[in-house]
């Protein structure tokens, strides 16, 4: 099962959601505004990155700036 963590107001999240639906790929959607990641979940995700936090955060986002 794919876990899709989204900010509903972003175009890239809406595109990912639509693509998964169009390809009939099952997924669980999590609204990051309503249910942010916990510290434990962030640490778990970091285990799968090469560049640490830079691989998880979009530097183009308004929240980053």
């Amino acid at each position: 099962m794919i876990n899709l963590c989204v900010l509903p107001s972003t175009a890239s999240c809406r595109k990912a959601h639509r693509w998964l639906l169009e390809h009939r790929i099952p997924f669980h959607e999590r609204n990051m505004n309503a249910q942010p990641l916990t510290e434990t979940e962030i640490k778990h995700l970091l285990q799968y990155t090469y560049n640490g936090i830079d691989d998880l955060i979009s530097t183009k986002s308004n929240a980053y700036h």
Side-chain angles (χ1 to χ4, degrees), residues 28-39:
H28 175 262
E29 186 170 310
R30 178 176 176 170
N31 181 328
M32 298 304 291
N33 289 327
Q35 189 180 11
L37 293 173
T38 65
E39 182 179 338

Side-chain angles (χ1 to χ4, degrees), residues 4 11-25 27 29:
L4 182 64
S12 58
C13 290
R14 289 190 302 270
K15 286 179 187 178
H17 177 102
R18 185 172 49 250
W19 189 90
L20 289 167
L21 289 174
E22 288 172 358
H23 290 85
R24 297 184 179 156
I25 298 172
F27 65 97
E29 186 170 310

Side-chain angles (χ1 to χ4, degrees), residues 25-57:
I25 298 172
F27 65 97
H28 175 262
E29 186 170 310
R30 178 176 176 170
N31 181 328
M32 298 304 291
N33 289 327
Q35 189 180 11
L37 293 173
T38 65
E39 182 179 338
T40 302
E41 290 170 321
I42 293 169
K43 287 178 181 178
H44 179 77
L45 288 173
L46 285 169
Q47 294 176 10
Y48 298 100
T49 67
Y50 290 108
N51 301 310
I53 199 75
D54 291 336
D55 286 346
L56 300 179
I57 295 177

